[in-house]
Structures are given as C-alpha cells and as structure tokens.
Amino acid sequence: MLELYQVRKHFGGLRAVDDVSFTVDAGCIKGVIGPNGAGKSTLFNLIACNIPLSSGTIRFDNREIQRLKPYQTAELGFARTFQNIKLFADMSVLECVMVGAHSKGRAGFLAGMLPLPQHRREEAAIRRKSMECLEFLGIADLAESPAEALAFGQQRAVELARALAAEPRLLLLDEPAAGLNIYETAELGRLIKTIREQGVTVLLVEHDMSLVMDICDEIVVLSSGRKLAEDIPSRIQHNAEVIAIYLGEDYEPAR
Amino acid sequence: MLGQIRTRLGAVVASVVLLQLLTTFTGTEYYLTQLTMSAYYGLLVIGLCALMGYAGQISIGHAGFFAIGGYLSALLTTYNLTPHAENSAIALLNQAGLLFTWENLYGESLLTFTPWAAALAALVCAALVALLVGIPVLKLRGHYLAMATLGFGTIIYRMALALPILGEADGIADVPGFILIPASLFGGEALMISGEGDFRIFNYYVAWAVVLAGLVLLMNLMTRSRSGRALRALHSSEEAAEACGVNTSRAKLQVFVLSAVYAALAGVLLTHFKGGIGPEEATVMKSVRYVALVAVGGMTSLWGTLFMGVGLSFLSLRGVFGSYDDAVFGLILLAVMLFAPGGLSQLNSHIPWRRLLPYRRA
C-alpha cells in the first residue's frame, strides 16, 4: 500500500534520513522505532508530505506522492495525529472532529453562506459521523466542551477521533503514547487494534517499546537516519544490533 | 445556537426600527444620516472580522478595497460618454442597458454607466485585485499579508491622490443616486440610495438591510459550514488543518477576496449615499481604524464587531472625538493589544457586567 524507496532527507550536511526503503502492507500495523535523533520524526514528516524529499520516492497505491501537498494526501486517504497535540483553539470537541471530515464534504464557500438543503444534509452527515467517532473513543459526553480545556489524555483521544472522522485508509500516528500513563497506553493499544480490524492500515512512530512490541505486526528500526532492521517484534527483540544501539554493545540479553 | 442567532437578529432589527421612530418623533432625523453611513462602515468591518478574527489573517489595506469600490463606481457613473456616443462599443453598451442619461446639479446632460453596472464592475475589480494581491502573499505564513496589504493600501491612496481622472485631492463629487426601485414599478417616485433628505429613512433601512444580510451570510459561513470551520481551524494550526484535508492557501484566498468584496460594496453604497468620495477614504489611517474596530469588537465576534463598528463610526462621524479622531482609534488599538490581544471576549471572566455586552462568541 505504502512504499518508500531509497528515501533521503539531508539538512545541509546532516543526513537525517539516509536511504530508507520499506513497505507497509494493507491492513498491517507497522511501527518505526529508534533512539533519539534516529530520524523518526523526519521520516514521519516526509511520509505526511510536510517536508520535501532530498531524493527517493514514496508511493501510495503505486502512485508517487512525494510532491503532493498535505491536504492532497488527506484526499487520498491519509490521516494523522501530532506528537505535540494540535487541536483547534476556540472550537468545541465536536467541531474539531468535524474538521477531520473536511475531505468528505463537497460544499464550497458560497454554499456555506447560503444554507441550501443539500449543504445542510452534508453538514448533518458530517456531524453524525463525527459523533460516531467520539462514541468509538468513549468521549461523546465531551462533544460540546472546548477542546483546549480537556486533560492531556482526552486531547489525544480527540486527535484520534479527528483522524478517524476522515475515514482514512492509512492512519499515521506520531508518538501516540507520548505523555500517556501505562493504563492509557494499554487502552490506546487496544484501540489501535480495533481500528485496524475496521480495515485501516496503521503506521506509527513510537518511543514506547511496550506499545510497539504489543501491537505491531512489523517493526522498522532506524539508527542515525539509516534502516538498521525490519522484522516482526519477537525477532527485533533478539536482534543483536538493535540491542546494541538501545542498550549498549556489552549487554547480554536475558535467557 | 440557531435560536440565539435569531433572537439577536430580532433584537438588532427592533433597535434599528426603534432608533428610527425615536429620531422621527423627537425631530432629530438628521442622526439617521450618520447612522446610515456607520452601517456601511459596519459592513466593511464585519467582512474584515471574518478575515482577521476567524481566519487569523491581518489586512491593513481594507480602506484600499473600500476606495476601489467607491472610486470605480463614482468614476463610471460620472464620466460623461456623450462625446463618444457614436463609438460602436459605447453604442453597444447603451443598447445592452448598461448606460443611462441623467442631469447633474448644473443641468448638464450626462451619458454614463448605470449605478448597477458600475457597482458590479467595482465589485468584480475589487475581487480581482484581492486575488492578485492574495495569491502570492497568502502562500506564506505569518504577517506577510499585513505587510503586503499595507503596501497595497498605500498605492491605492497615492493613486487616488495623484490621478486627475479620480479628482486628485478633491475626489469625485456629484455622483448620481443609486436607483433601487424605479418609478415605473409602483407608480410613485423612484427610490434610490442618495443623500437627499426625502430618502433619509429609506436609505437608513436599505443600509441596515444590506448589513444584516451580510452578517447572516457570514454567520452561516462561520458557525455552521465546512468552509468556515476550515478557516477557524487554519487560524490555530495550518499544519493540522492541512492534515485534515484543508487546502489552506485556497481557503485563505477565498476569505480574503470575500472580505475585499464586503469592503468594496460598502464603498460603492456609501459613495452613492454621500454623492461622492475623496482620498481621505483611502488613507492607511482608515485601514488601521478598521483593524481597531475588529479588535475592540472582540476579534472573533461578528456581533461585537458590528456593534463597535457602527457605534464608534457614528461617534466619529458626529465629530465627538474632534481633532483627536485618528488618535482615538489608535489608542483603542493600543489598549486592546496591550490588555486583551485575543480580543475583548477574552476578558469574559473578569467583568461582572459582561453579560450586557455583545461580545460573546457567535
């Protein structure tokens, strides 16, 4: 579904992402891990089309996407969350989530000024869909609260609801467990699995090992911008190179 | 939400009617002239509020769009085409009903564009100019729009002051009334947008009808439409709005053009009402004043902006601020930026009597 081929991103002399290739198959949960400075966030921003590639290609359904604008990737079926939560100020939770369904609507600027019946029906459908997403995440009772006033964990949930409102095909999660406690992280893991069962492909960049090892089908390990390993979680846990970069070369894995 | 909007709209309509009756019964109908003019300034500032308060894009050039509207409709309705009447293009325009013949104050017979045609041309022109200014600038983030519109406003002001065809420092006077309802329709006198005393009450209601229609359209857009939500979203995070599928450059351009058209419409109608326009309408100080009015109106409050826009414009037109006119608006802007940069609605929890104010968000 998503293919990265020899993706490079250089900032001046710094090779933030250097010759990374991998694929994400439809219906799979893929994780990208690596120590601080490994290039995870840069890679994430490249896939989300937020920053241009230095070289290489990214394909989605066999179509090159690296030159698209972020809003165009949303139209293709991408949805994402942000590491440092970006909810919309001055909006209720429900309205925030309704923005997520933006690419599902058609009504233009003038239609918005004149509430024509067709436009009203579309608004009602967007509202319904957004409420469903809030219910799915168990925060329907917060629909009318100002989004900014929520607790951190709830804001994370609103971001996820906003991403789901787009009915995405590929869900990009940028460190979704950052700032969550272990219970919330476990709950998040269950949610992500349920989302995948609904046919959504998931790519997550994450620090939290327990989450990644628990839910991912496959893991890519980055180190200093390069791909160090790509495998299923159980084998990544016993990969000597991975252990070396995370824990130091002298570490003896427990038997 | 909808119920609240209807109640407020009802309250505004009731106060508009009440004000008119009050002035009529107390023999102070001359106030209606300034109230009419203030309503048109109100139209401009609610358009600017959509751009600035909701979408977060600051323009310090809206007097320029007002001037494009006013000057273009003044020029087209006063430029005498009689010497060129034989020209085939002019004849064609005449046949299409876009021209009309009228007599000015000195009894001269003029062949000019009709106010309808001139107004349409002025609005289209303002929209195109906004598009030209906006396309390169709105792709950038931050305060580039403020800078570019400041430059644009200055250019328009200098043009108004320097071009002989626009009357230089004198502006354009003797602009004909804008006939809305021709005499033939109901048999009575023609009803027009004009400063003549006979039309005072009619003009007062026309101005308020236009402003409130403009307000309702913006309310619909901002509070219950996909495009309005997108604008409010990009105000707080362009990155997140893009990720949700919002074409942010396009959305910003659309609201910029819309607010320019509101300003130009205010310019067109006010020019016909006053019977002329001068370069003082195009000054940068006017643009700053409009920004101050949006700020003091509560930034993201169309109601508050309308209330403050009309109220303070009225006081200014009545000469209450005397020679400190511009200074008062500068002071207002300064005070708002210092104490409530997010708009006065931010102060909500601190003012006990705040419920009486129209600042609450729509």
Side-chain angles (χ1 to χ4, degrees):
Chain A
M1 182 181 228
L2 185 75
E3 291 168 65
L4 280 74
Y5 179 71
Q6 295 184 346
V7 169
R8 284 197 175 87
K9 179 66 189 179
H10 300 173
F11 295 109
L14 175 74
R15 295 176 174 189
V17 173
D18 195 8
D19 198 11
V20 171
S21 306
F22 64 85
T23 62
V24 181
D25 297 327
C28 139
I29 301 180
K30 189 129 187 170
V32 177
I33 62 170
N36 284 331
K40 301 189 298 290
S41 286
T42 306
L43 184 67
F44 191 93
N45 280 320
L46 291 172
I47 296 170
C49 292
N50 257 344
I51 51 175
L53 296 183
S54 298
S55 69
T57 54
I58 302 177
R59 287 166 179 276
F60 182 70
D61 284 345
N62 293 318
R63 178 182 164 185
E64 285 194 16
I65 60 160
Q66 68 266 23
R67 267 183 271 281
L68 296 184
K69 296 260 174 61
Y71 80 88
Q72 292 171 314
T73 65
E75 284 165 2
L76 287 179
F78 283 42
R80 68 169 291 185
T81 62
F82 292 87
Q83 184 182 338
N84 38 357
I85 297 172
K86 289 183 193 235
L87 290 179
F88 302 125
D90 289 336
M91 277 200 200
S92 71
V93 166
L94 179 61
E95 282 181 310
C96 271
V97 177
M98 285 169 81
V99 177
H102 188 84
S103 49
K104 293 278 144 194
R106 286 282 146 265
F109 218 72
L110 290 176
M113 299 177 80
L114 306 161
L116 305 170
Q118 194 186 354
H119 172 237
R120 280 196 210 174
R121 273 197 295 279
E122 186 182 288
E123 275 291 291
I126 289 178
R127 185 173 287 265
R128 223 174 14 252
K129 173 73 202 166
S130 305
M131 272 317 284
E132 279 171 26
C133 293
L134 288 175
E135 276 158 23
F136 173 70
L137 288 160
I139 48 172
D141 52 322
L142 298 175
E144 297 303 324
S145 318
E148 283 176 308
L150 300 185
F152 190 79
Q154 290 171 328
Q155 291 197 352
R156 272 258 136 85
V158 176
E159 269 221 332
L160 201 52
R162 183 174 70 189
L164 292 177
E167 299 179 348
R169 295 178 54 214
L170 176 66
L171 181 60
L172 303 171
L173 303 173
D174 194 357
E175 304 213 5
L180 300 186
N181 64 33
I182 51 168
Y183 305 106
E184 289 167 334
T185 304
E187 174 62 26
L188 176 72
R190 279 194 291 278
L191 271 174
I192 294 173
K193 281 184 181 167
T194 320
I195 291 167
R196 186 261 298 272
E197 278 158 24
Q198 293 170 355
V200 181
T201 309
V202 181
L203 176 69
L204 71 157
V205 166
E206 187 51 77
H207 251 357
D208 188 289
M209 283 298 159
S210 65
L211 179 73
V212 173
M213 293 302 165
D214 185 33
I215 66 167
C216 289
D217 300 313
E218 284 182 329
I219 294 174
V220 171
V221 185
L222 288 185
S223 173
S224 309
R226 294 186 146 268
K227 185 171 92 174
L228 193 70
E230 179 178 7
D231 217 326
I232 59 171
S234 57
R235 272 188 287 209
I236 288 288
Q237 279 171 321
H238 293 97
N239 182 311
E241 279 184 288
V242 176
I243 293 168
I245 62 156
Y246 266 96
L247 299 168
E249 298 196 2
D250 304 330
Y251 181 77
E252 288 286 320
R255 302 283 165 199
Chain B
M1 178 84 89
L2 200 55
Q4 194 195 14
I5 293 177
R6 288 206 178 122
T7 321
R8 284 188 175 189
L9 207 57
V12 173
V13 170
S15 2
V16 167
V17 173
L18 215 65
L19 261 177
Q20 183 261 312
L21 294 176
L22 201 70
T23 55
T24 302
F25 286 127
T26 55
T28 51
E29 266 183 16
Y30 47 84
Y31 281 127
L32 293 184
T33 302
Q34 286 87 35
L35 280 170
T36 306
M37 290 164 70
S38 311
Y40 288 131
Y41 288 122
L43 181 67
L44 185 152
V45 291
I46 56 171
L48 185 60
C49 174
L51 176 73
M52 232 177 92
Y54 287 90
Q57 313 296 315
I58 295 176
S59 163
I60 318 180
H62 262 49
F65 292 114
F66 180 97
I68 287 179
Y71 267 104
L72 206 54
S73 58
L75 179 67
L76 291 177
T77 54
T78 55
Y79 191 78
N80 193 0
L81 295 169
T82 313
H84 314 287
E86 301 306 315
N87 186 314
S88 57
I90 302 294
L92 206 66
L93 287 172
N94 204 357
Q95 272 171 9
L98 297 176
L99 305 181
F100 79 134
T101 309
W102 58 287
E103 249 180 38
N104 70 5
L105 285 175
Y106 313 105
E108 277 177 278
S109 175
L110 303 178
L111 176 69
T112 69
F113 279 89
T114 64
W116 284 104
L120 194 68
L123 296 187
V124 169
C125 179
L128 288 177
V129 171
L131 213 58
L132 280 177
V133 175
I135 284 175
V137 171
L138 287 163
K139 284 190 177 154
L140 305 169
R141 292 179 189 187
H143 295 309
Y144 295 100
L145 185 63
M147 296 315 235
T149 49
L150 180 63
F152 155 78
T154 312
I155 291 168
I156 297 292
Y157 174 58
R158 297 312 303 191
M159 279 171 71
L161 209 54
L163 288 177
I165 198 170
L166 298 181
E168 297 172 353
D170 297 329
I172 300 176
D174 202 10
V175 175
F178 192 146
I179 297 173
L180 292 179
I181 300 170
S184 53
L185 205 60
F186 296 117
E189 216 185 334
L191 291 173
M192 58 173 105
I193 297 179
S194 146
E196 281 179 52
D198 304 350
F199 300 116
R200 197 178 260 154
I201 295 178
F202 172 74
N203 268 277
Y204 172 75
Y205 282 112
V206 167
W208 278 101
V210 171
V211 173
L212 292 179
L215 182 78
V216 168
L217 292 180
L218 287 182
M219 283 273 163
N220 283 335
L221 182 68
M222 291 305 169
T223 57
R224 47 202 194 115
S225 91
R226 168 178 173 268
S227 308
R229 267 196 309 276
L231 290 174
R232 287 154 63 207
L234 71 88
H235 185 179
S236 66
S237 169
E238 287 196 23
E239 199 185 356
E242 278 268 333
C244 291
V246 177
N247 183 346
T248 52
S249 339
R250 189 160 148 236
K252 287 190 283 184
L253 193 59
Q254 283 175 322
V255 71
F256 183 57
V257 170
L258 180 73
S259 78
V261 168
Y262 267 61
L265 182 63
V268 168
L269 299 180
L270 191 52
T271 298
H272 283 287
F273 180 66
K274 283 178 29 174
I277 184 169
E280 77 283 352
E281 288 291 358
T283 58
V284 170
M285 267 321 292
K286 279 274 163 133
S287 294
V288 172
R289 164 183 302 206
Y290 302 138
V291 170
L293 288 173
V294 174
V296 77
M299 219 58 126
T300 45
S301 165
L302 289 167
W303 294 107
T305 300
L306 182 66
F307 180 80
M308 282 298 173
V310 173
L312 289 173
S313 298
F314 176 74
L315 294 179
S316 166
L317 288 167
R318 289 297 308 171
V320 171
F321 306 132
S323 48
Y324 295 105
D325 206 31
D326 281 337
V328 167
F329 287 95
L331 195 68
I332 288 170
L333 190 59
L334 191 68
V336 172
M337 290 304 141
L338 276 178
F339 301 114
L344 285 193
S345 50
Q346 205 181 41
L347 295 177
N348 52 9
S349 48
H350 311 307
I351 311 179
W353 37 269
R354 172 180 174 278
R355 293 192 128 261
L356 302 173
L357 298 177
Y359 289 146
R360 298 182 69 187
R361 279 156 206 216

